[in-house]
Amino acid sequence: MADTPTPSVAPSAPTLRRSHPLASREEDLRALTGGSVGVRPHLAMAVVRAAVPGPAARAAEDVLGTALPTRPNTWAPAAPGGGGEPGAVVWLGPDEWLVLADEPRPEALEERLRAALVPVGGSAVDVSAQRMSLRLRGAHARDVLAAGCAVDTHPAVFGAGTSAQTLLGQAGVVLLSRSDAGDDYEVLVRSSFARYLADWLLDAFVEHRGAEAPRDPAPDPVRPTTGGATP
Amino acid sequence: MQLIECPWCGPREEVEFSYGGQAHVPYPESPAELDDEQWAHYVFFRDNTRGTLAERWNHGAGCRRWFNAMRDTVSYRFSAVYRTAEPMPASVPLTGAGSSSASATTSTTTSTTTTGR
Amino acid sequence: MSATLDRPERAGDPQAPFRTADGGRVDRSRTLTFTFGGRSLTGHPGDTLASALLSHGVHQVATSVKLGRPRGIGAAWAEDPTSLVQVEEPFPEPMLLASTIELYDGLVADGLPGQGRLADLPDSARYDARHLHVDLLVVGAGPAGLSAALVAARAGARVALVDEQAEAGGALLGGTDTIDGRPGTAWVEAAVAELAALPDVMHLQRTTVFGVYDDGFALAVERRTDHLGGAAPQHLSRQRVWRVRARRTVVATGAHERPVVFTDNDRPGTMLAGSARTYLHRYGVLAGERAVVFTTNDSAYQVAVELADAGVDVTVVETRERAPVAWSAACGARGLPVRTGSVVTGTEGVERVTAALVAPRGGGAPEALPCDLLLVSGGWNPAVHLYSQARGRLRFDAVLGAFLPAEQLPDLDVVGSAAGTLDLEGCLFTGRETGRAAVAALGLPEVPRTPQADPTVDPPPPASDPDLLWVVPAVDGDASRQFVDVQRDATVADVQRAVGAGLRSPEHVKRYTTIGTAHDQGKTSGVVMSGILGELIGAGPQDVGTTTFRPPYTPVAFATLAGRDRGAMFDPERTTALHDWHLAHGAVWEDVGQWKRPRHYPAPGEDMEAAVLRECAAVRSGVGILDGSTLGKIDVQGPDAGVLLDRLYTNLMSSLKVGRVRYGVMCGVDGMVLDDGVVLRLAEDRWMVMTTTGGAAKVLDWMEEWLQTEWPDLRVHLASVTEQWAAFPVVGPRSRDVVGAVFPGVDVSAEAFEFMTWQDTQLEGVPVRLARISFSGELAWEVHVSSWHAEEVWHRLVAAGQEHGITPYGTETMHVLRAEKGYPIIGQDTDGTVTPQDLGMDWVVSKKKADFVGKRSFARADNQRPDRKHLVGLLPTDGETVLPEGSQVVDVPLGEDLPAPPVPMLGHVTSSYRSAFLGRPFALAMLQGGRERVGEVVQLPVGGRLVAAEVTGPVLVDPEGARRDG
């Protein structure tokens, strides 16, 4: 937002080494077939609390450069000022949002938001390390989700811009749909569950091993979506 | 696996929710002024209704919001859900919540019971 | 088979003499080899194990569970009560039906004497699950189900069509019906192809809907690779559970033929009549060469005529006085004898039926009709299982002689034979109409009627009313060989005994006799039992009713239900940012809730006791470091944050100054301790609440509950930041050196950095928070940093600590150190019946606050009793015994032996360890009136002897608190 003073802190990322829980899984994730799971381990995130409509919500919208999505189970793209890839604002509750931003200093997101929101009754918390972002893409992305998510992900009801806080496997997740074709999702998972979820996803993709490879020699290995005659 | 309609998120599987006991049991204004029996009534005693009971539920795996629901303790069927700030429905309008007419394809729509808080 | 019968010449496979020369849906161009009972046999793709066995004339499959009587193949699908086999290869699996196993090359199976045998090696196959959301779930891909699915799918509905057989078609697969002048199967193929072209149709074959639950939820099991045998690809799940959520459901599950009970009705070669027709038309197999068809209704005549046309010598035994007019001509044209007004009273034969004993229904001497196949039809039971599971009521239809759906359920329809519509035209019509009605109920655009495009079929022959006959009375009065549940060896005599014992309800008779409790769950026996019970107690079927139809419709393996939630994925393991470091340093894990926490780090050759003694000594004499990242952390913000905390903590929190830390306890409204931890005041409007590891979710939920439901007016916001902040206690007399070295910008002197204060600093531009908190009584800092940098900060602390011998320690050492200081662990030393006062923590209960959650309960009479259990220390007087946690303190004076039970008890040990610092074992205990017993010696039974222990205060190390400032 134009009125916000430029942060005095240097925008470059600190030199202190960062790590993340999925380093030991990255090779396996890269080797997936039938789809892909991308890891964005160091995405800045903040929880924003503000009553809508109200001054705190307006303050948040000024900082984020977008309207807060007020429909449950939706998210909106946002550009919260840190540069880099566009972020997102995800509806978490009637007065609660999760902001995702590409931000070299994650705490700067909280600082900007708190500076704007606290004086008018809102709040913000840095939760950058609370969750990790996994990007699930590919023709089988929906199938993999359907292995452990009870929410209907049909593009007609879960197209781009929709979201759900729900369970995937046995992990709580925030699930964002990023496509109208059912082939691109972002999964936000608490970092303590990240390994479990990565292992769960790796396991769910086993089904699609060789999806791009030549057909299995065995006759009729999977029933097609619509069954034909007996083999 | 029942569906429970969160007044915010719409119908979700019951595993996303936790039960919070009978609704509309307010914390006493001045606990110190209650005698032991009155206090015990607040702490330990709840209705044991056979039939429709107003209950508290929390959408713990979703939006983390508490809400109230009218549920039949015999059939388990939900007849209404309403937000904490809303009054208990006088009659029991059978909306989509928990009944099997709940649409499986409308999980992203907002509740018809929404009246703001 | 009987070798004495003349075998007609057939041009089929000489190895499979009962295979017809042509016809059937098996692929005769390929031959599969399998082994049954040690015999190597052949079949074709499309066969079931049962049809392949029958093609070789093999009827006897097994012996019965209790009586050891030979048992054969009783039907052509899941209603078969008898053909239980054990598959041995490719993987051992018990209790499968030969009539439902699709044949594959290399199958090895044996008949089962009633009970199966679990494999003693782990099942390496995958099993998984899928969620599926649809507008319409159609169960059964016979003519009714296909019709309904087509109508709905054409209207744009999301449709799941689920059928348990290998291919769609239902009854059309095993019959000769034509639709639009072509074989019914051609219509099926066209319908399947049309559905395949629609994007939102999920068509699943080999998939059994085994349960219908609340709110349109249904579970189905798909047998994905079973039919491939050893060739099944390992990466595909063998079986899959479909978790279907449907706005509406159409049950088109067909009907099961019902047997009539008579003496020795269990001999191999006895089969449901319609099944023989299925074996003929679908599999190209003759179930026998000389058949007696025993029927109460018209449907078996079609079987008789078609078998006769296939060369079988057939006699019909008809219970009714007149043969149906519609079939008389067909029988006459084939010279097919019909014995009307007759019944089968018994059979002859041992391993195979050799004759049916036929007598006039009114009585008279039985005549033995030689046969190798005895086909029975007592009418049809609509498969109402799923409808009943959906809580639909049934009514008995006297004309059909069957239980039918009695009501329209809001979201579930029953069509076709499952609703008692037994003719093809009716099935097609009701399927279409139900599909159309479902489309309307779903709010989709109306489907126009197009009568000219609707499939047409030949009208069925006029039907005559069926007879209703449950059991043919035993000629000699002995009902003990009249099998009601053939699999359970349960007979009419058992039902008589149940009634004699006073039982009247089919539910009770079921449990008394075990009828209907076998793998088939009474698909053929349940209704028959109700009928027989009714006759015995003089009640009609409507009054007797049926037993409750419960899931699963057919057996489902536990492995299938478990799916992927097994092994490491049975329960999620939560890990901290340091997990790999702990792994690399040999941590032995402790499960704390779902967290994996290092319990201790054994050096080579160390057991846990040695490791923990070493770790404890290192902390109290030098410096140790713990991964405390699992502690719950809650960010509390807002102008009223202090008010909320004052209401939920027993002590005053709002008076805490920014920069300071306070220990606090939360209680339930009953005054019992819920959780404890420290609170950091970060700013005027901001606090960080720390909880126990196990209490993190509970405390956040608790705070939200009060905030949202009782005090929504408070301006407070809560957020979990448990994973945001890694937390490392650096503990011990040398901790100041380590923390000071890593964070040179911080003055770590006792004066500049007081106990129970925190300070923010930075490490290369990254925010770090240091707090002087101690859970051990030692000088200690807790280092908080974003989990992104946790590993690096930990490395730096460990590196800086090298010169001081820094020792990573685990939860066990943490527990010992805190217990030495008398700090309770909520949930270990407390159990939900303990007040702060019981813990000796009056000091944490505010006297100033007018109210807080739990306060009023402290004044309850029961919480004022002097003999409440108090937290105390125990020192075993022998200086050696580590009292097992949970040991009871008994009210037995010193010098006396344990009296006979009941032994009066005074309390129990809650924590017990060996202390490196004290050089002896010690324990914490909850002891009646414990604070008044300090100095007494009490006794505890341990391993058959009484151990004496001195009662002390709970604080055993440094009660003056001299060590905490280093």
Side-chain angles (χ1 to χ4, degrees):
Chain A
M1 92 186 200
D3 300 340
T4 309
T6 312
S8 54
V9 185
S12 61
T15 55
L16 194 68
R17 187 175 67 86
R18 293 170 172 177
S19 55
H20 67 85
L22 296 186
S24 59
R25 304 298 193 271
E26 278 180 313
E27 199 174 316
D28 288 340
L29 290 171
R30 267 196 300 274
L32 277 183
T33 58
S36 66
V37 177
V39 180
R40 277 181 92 186
H42 299 125
L43 192 59
M45 298 188 214
V47 167
V48 167
R49 302 294 295 267
V52 276
R58 284 193 297 277
E61 290 171 347
D62 283 345
V63 174
L64 300 173
T66 188
L68 294 172
T70 52
R71 254 188 71 204
N73 305 321
T74 61
W75 65 276
E85 287 185 46
V89 188
V90 188
W91 183 95
L92 293 185
D95 65 347
E96 184 173 0
W97 293 265
L98 182 66
V99 178
L100 281 64
D102 193 357
E103 184 91 40
R105 284 180 62 250
E107 61 276 13
L109 182 62
E110 177 196 284
E111 287 161 12
R112 284 203 306 282
L113 286 163
R114 258 180 69 82
L117 273 96
V118 167
V120 286
S123 71
V125 191
D126 180 13
V127 289
S128 305
Q130 178 79 357
R131 294 182 182 86
M132 277 187 73
S133 164
L134 301 178
R135 188 73 171 267
L136 179 60
R137 277 189 265 219
H140 293 292
R142 259 192 87 205
D143 294 333
V144 166
L145 286 180
C149 180
V151 168
D152 186 2
T153 55
H154 192 285
V157 290
F158 201 73
T162 54
S163 64
Q165 299 168 83
T166 185
L167 298 168
L168 180 55
Q170 296 178 61
V173 296
V174 183
L175 178 64
L176 312 187
S177 173
R178 286 186 166 274
S179 129
D180 284 329
D183 58 0
D184 189 355
Y185 301 92
E186 185 160 5
V187 183
L188 306 173
V189 61
R190 286 175 73 150
S191 45
S192 63
F193 284 95
R195 274 179 204 239
Y196 162 79
L197 193 67
D199 289 347
W200 187 94
L201 287 167
L202 285 166
D203 180 72
F205 266 109
V206 168
E207 175 79 20
H208 305 291
R209 184 174 294 166
E212 279 86 13
R215 203 171 150 74
D216 285 287
D220 192 20
V222 203
R223 296 304 302 178
T225 351
T226 293
T230 310
Chain B
M1 181 73 75
Q2 274 190 281
L3 289 178
I4 298 174
E5 183 168 333
C6 168
W8 300 103
C9 302
R12 295 289 183 88
E13 293 206 336
E14 62 185 271
V15 291
E16 295 192 4
F17 299 82
S18 59
Y19 180 63
Q22 188 176 351
H24 309 295
V25 183
Y27 188 73
E29 283 288 324
S30 303
E33 290 167 17
L34 303 184
D35 63 24
D36 271 11
E37 190 175 332
Q38 290 168 320
W39 177 247
H41 201 84
Y42 166 71
V43 175
F44 299 115
F45 286 73
R46 295 295 182 269
D47 293 345
N48 186 21
T49 304
R50 187 180 195 279
T52 300
L53 178 68
E55 302 173 332
R56 303 187 315 158
W57 287 81
N58 180 239
H59 190 195
C63 64
R64 302 195 301 126
R65 291 305 176 277
W66 283 89
F67 61 93
N68 295 325
M70 307 293 284
R71 190 181 64 100
D72 189 312
T73 60
V74 178
S75 71
Y76 304 160
R77 296 256 182 252
F78 286 77
S79 50
V81 293
Y82 53 106
R83 295 172 183 175
T84 50
E86 295 169 349
M88 178 162 59
S91 62
V92 179
L94 215 148
T95 62
S99 81
S100 29
S101 63
S103 163
T105 54
T106 56
S107 61
T108 56
T109 60
T110 32
S111 154
T112 51
T113 58
T114 304
T115 58
R117 43 185 323 189
Chain C
M1 55 158 277
S2 164
T4 58
L5 287 167
D6 294 329
R7 183 172 305 148
E9 283 296 312
R10 272 189 288 275
D13 182 353
Q15 291 175 21
F18 289 85
R19 186 76 68 180
T20 56
D22 50 30
R25 299 183 62 76
V26 295
D27 177 4
R28 293 169 189 254
S29 68
R30 290 174 55 211
T31 297
L32 306 175
T33 305
F34 69 101
T35 305
F36 184 78
R39 264 179 86 187
S40 182
L41 298 167
T42 58
H44 301 294
D47 262 326
T48 61
L49 175 57
S51 68
L53 288 172
L54 291 175
S55 77
H56 293 274
V58 176
H59 267 260
Q60 188 196 338
V61 165
T63 50
S64 74
V65 62
K66 283 192 287 195
L67 304 173
R69 289 169 67 102
R71 293 287 157 78
I73 294 164
W77 191 246
E79 67 272 30
D80 185 354
T82 47
S83 72
L84 279 182
V85 301
Q86 168 107 19
V87 169
E88 302 290 359
E89 289 178 26
F91 187 83
E93 193 173 10
M95 302 291 279
L96 300 176
L97 280 174
S99 42
T100 61
I101 296 174
E102 286 183 60
L103 194 68
Y104 48 84
D105 225 14
L107 170 69
V108 178
D110 291 304
L112 260 190
Q115 286 175 330
R117 188 183 71 256
L118 289 172
D120 51 11
L121 54 152
D123 186 351
S124 62
R126 290 173 64 87
Y127 301 87
D128 68 2
R130 285 288 184 277
H131 292 268
L132 176 63
H133 296 259
V134 292
D135 295 318
L136 187 68
L137 166 65
V138 179
V139 188
L146 271 173
S147 298
L150 273 175
V151 168
R154 285 169 182 162
R158 293 165 65 183
V159 174
L161 174 63
V162 179
D163 185 273
E164 58 181 342
Q165 304 238 7
E167 55 178 328
L172 294 173
L173 297 171
T176 52
D177 294 294
T178 59
I179 297 176
D180 292 335
R182 295 189 302 153
T185 48
W187 176 80
V188 171
E189 277 160 29
V192 165
E194 181 177 348
L195 289 170
L198 293 167
D200 280 327
V201 175
M202 175 68 85
H203 178 182
L204 297 164
Q205 291 294 146
R206 299 189 173 99
T207 306
T208 304
V209 174
F210 63 83
V212 164
Y213 305 85
D214 295 304
D215 301 326
F217 192 58
L219 290 178
V221 59
E222 181 186 10
R223 294 166 293 278
R224 303 179 73 213
T225 67
D226 286 27
H227 61 291
L228 301 176
Q234 286 296 301
H235 70 285
L236 298 181
S237 61
R238 177 181 174 227
Q239 296 186 355
R240 169 171 289 175
V241 172
W242 288 89
R243 307 171 62 87
V244 185
R245 185 70 71 174
R247 294 172 64 196
R248 298 193 66 83
T249 299
V250 170
V251 173
T253 45
H256 299 140
E257 199 162 21
R258 185 169 67 217
V260 178
V261 176
F262 46 85
T263 300
D264 294 326
N265 58 333
D266 63 330
R267 298 207 197 282
T270 308
M271 186 183 285
L272 293 170
S275 296
R277 187 170 179 236
T278 299
Y279 282 118
L280 171 63
H281 295 304
R282 180 164 175 187
Y283 301 103
V285 169
L286 290 173
E289 294 173 326
R290 183 176 291 182
V292 168
V293 177
F294 176 31
T295 186
T296 64
N297 63 90
D298 291 6
S299 70
Y301 282 87
Q302 191 158 26
V303 185
V305 165
E306 289 171 5
L307 284 177
D309 288 347
V312 178
D313 177 4
V314 181
T315 302
V316 175
V317 177
E318 162 69 82
T319 62
R320 296 172 291 186
E321 290 304 322
R322 282 210 184 87
V325 176
W327 289 98
S328 292
C331 291
R334 291 163 177 81
L336 199 156
V338 180
R339 298 191 173 215
T340 57
S342 298
V343 291
V344 172
T345 61
T347 63
E348 290 176 354
V350 180
E351 294 174 349
R352 175 82 179 264
V353 63
T354 55
L357 304 177
V358 177
R361 193 170 178 183
E367 178 189 348
L369 294 185
C371 65
D372 64 351
L373 182 64
L374 174 51
L375 300 178
V376 185
S377 180
W380 293 83
N381 291 329
V384 294
H385 303 69
L386 300 180
Y387 163 84
S388 286
Q389 290 175 18
R391 306 190 222 195
R393 284 180 293 113
L394 298 172
R395 67 178 175 87
F396 188 78
D397 186 292
V399 175
L400 271 179
F403 286 95
L404 296 179
E407 59 183 325
Q408 172 69 54
L409 297 180
D411 311 312
L412 183 141
D413 299 297
V414 188
V415 294
S417 303
T421 304
L422 296 172
D423 68 290
L424 176 58
E425 187 176 30
C427 287
L428 293 167
F429 175 77
T430 57
R432 275 198 310 276
E433 288 304 308
T434 303
R436 190 172 276 122
V439 165
L442 290 165
L444 296 168
E446 196 182 335
V447 183
R449 279 195 169 72
T450 52
Q452 71 287 355
D454 289 340
T456 57
V457 300
D458 295 333
S464 50
D465 286 352
D467 205 354
L468 188 56
L469 179 64
W470 307 111
V471 58
V472 178
V475 173
D476 58 1
D478 179 5
S480 67
R481 297 198 322 278
Q482 298 198 304
F483 293 91
V484 180
D485 189 328
V486 186
Q487 179 56 32
R488 283 294 192 221
D489 276 338
T491 64
V492 173
D494 293 317
V495 181
Q496 291 168 345
R497 263 192 295 279
V499 171
L503 305 181
R504 294 294 180 270
S505 155
E507 297 287 1
H508 296 157
V509 174
K510 168 183 177 178
R511 283 148 185 84
Y512 190 88
T513 61
T514 73
I515 291 169
T517 62
H519 69 281
D520 63 332
Q521 290 287 289
K523 286 183 180 61
T524 54
S525 60
V527 172
V528 172
M529 182 196 78
S530 287
I532 294 170
L533 173 63
E535 287 183 353
L536 289 170
I537 64 174
Q542 176 68 54
D543 301 316
V544 174
T546 65
T547 55
T548 307
F549 295 96
R550 270 188 290 264
Y553 171 71
T554 50
V556 184
F558 282 117
T560 312
L561 295 173
R564 306 308 305 148
D565 292 337
R566 56 195 291 183
M569 287 189 295
F570 177 70
D571 192 32
E573 292 179 353
R574 297 179 71 179
T575 56
T576 74
L578 271 298
H579 193 78
D580 288 336
W581 192 94
H582 300 319
L583 265 178
H585 289 76
V588 172
W589 301 103
E590 181 182 19
D591 292 332
V592 183
Q594 291 177 315
W595 288 100
K596 283 283 173 198
R597 299 195 69 180
R599 189 170 193 186
H600 57 98
Y601 302 85
E606 274 184 341
D607 60 7
M608 183 168 97
E609 184 172 295
V612 170
L613 285 172
R614 173 180 53 76
E615 291 176 9
C616 286
V619 173
R620 292 233 187 267
S621 64
V623 59
I625 184 167
L626 173 80
D627 183 4
S629 304
T630 61
L631 290 171
K633 302 163 205 87
I634 301 166
D635 183 274
V636 184
Q637 283 191 51
D640 295 327
V643 178
L644 178 70
L645 297 179
D646 277 351
R647 291 183 189 177
L648 293 177
Y649 279 100
T650 59
N651 50 343
L652 196 62
M653 283 294 174
S654 56
S655 62
L656 188 66
K657 300 235 175 335
V658 173
R660 303 201 74 88
V661 181
R662 186 167 286 167
Y663 172 80
V665 168
M666 284 188 191
C667 290
V669 288
D670 58 0
M672 303 304 155
V673 175
L674 194 79
D675 204 62
D676 71 343
V678 296
V679 177
L680 287 66
R681 187 161 199 175
L682 304 180
E684 277 305 316
D685 67 335
R686 191 174 197 186
W687 313 62
M688 163 100 95
V689 164
M690 302 194 67
T691 75
T692 59
T693 296
K698 180 180 65 182
V699 171
L700 179 59
D701 288 351
W702 179 246
M703 294 174 75
E704 283 284 4
E705 180 179 343
W706 286 95
L707 190 56
Q708 290 184 34
T709 67
E710 287 291 340
W711 307 314
D713 52 313
L714 292 184
R715 296 162 298 165
V716 187
H717 294 133
L718 308 172
S720 169
V721 287
T722 296
E723 282 97 330
Q724 171 66 26
W725 295 99
F728 312 139
V730 181
V731 184
R734 312 302 295 175
S735 59
R736 176 171 285 131
D737 301 320
V738 177
V739 172
V742 176
F743 306 105
V746 179
D747 181 350
V748 291
S749 67
E751 301 73 34
F753 206 141
E754 287 179 53
F755 185 57
M756 295 301 259
T757 66
W758 61 266
Q759 293 182 28
D760 274 349
T761 183
Q762 288 202 337
L763 189 63
E764 295 181 18
V766 170
V768 174
R769 182 169 297 139
L770 305 176
R772 271 202 59 200
I773 308 165
S774 181
F775 197 38
S776 60
E778 298 299 322
L779 175 69
W781 272 265
E782 209 162 280
V783 180
H784 293 185
V785 66
S786 156
S787 295
W788 289 4
H789 302 284
E791 225 177 58
E792 180 63 19
V793 170
W794 175 277
H795 285 161
R796 294 200 184 190
L797 289 164
V798 169
Q802 284 308 313
E803 59 178 300
H804 309 289
I806 193 167
T807 301
Y809 66 95
T811 51
E812 191 68 16
T813 294
M814 176 188 82
H815 280 204
V816 177
L817 297 173
R818 64 87 203 175
E820 289 173 341
K821 287 290 292 178
Y823 298 149
I825 298 263
I826 306 307
Q828 172 164 337
D829 299 294
T830 71
D831 60 2
T833 67
V834 178
T835 66
Q837 295 85 351
D838 296 339
L839 295 172
M841 292 164 75
D842 292 84
W843 53 268
V844 85
V845 178
S846 168
K847 311 290 183 290
K848 292 183 199 157
K849 291 195 285 185
D851 192 32
F852 55 83
V853 172
K855 179 181 171 79
R856 174 63 185 82
S857 285
F858 296 150
R860 291 181 63 236
D862 192 59
N863 292 337
Q864 297 285 323
R865 287 197 346 255
D867 63 341
R868 286 187 66 82
K869 289 180 181 175
H870 300 153
L871 183 72
V872 296
L874 291 181
L875 292 171
T877 54
D878 63 7
E880 276 303 317
T881 306
V882 180
L883 298 168
E885 288 172 359
S887 296
Q888 295 291 324
V889 181
V890 294
D891 191 5
V892 177
L894 268 184
E896 287 186 20
D897 287 338
L898 203 60
V903 181
M905 289 181 288
L906 298 174
H908 60 279
V909 173
T910 58
S911 296
S912 181
Y913 311 99
R914 195 177 284 283
S915 167
F917 190 86
L918 300 170
R920 61 182 298 171
F922 73 104
L924 297 177
M926 293 300 297
L927 185 65
Q928 277 180 22
R931 284 194 287 273
E932 278 65 54
R933 293 180 190 267
V934 170
E936 286 181 23
V937 175
V938 295
Q939 298 205 93
L940 304 94
V942 175
R945 67 194 171 97
L946 284 174
V947 174
E950 183 189 345
V951 180
T952 72
V955 187
L956 294 167
V957 169
D958 187 27
E960 310 78 26
R963 304 178 64 88
R964 72 166 199 215
D965 287 324

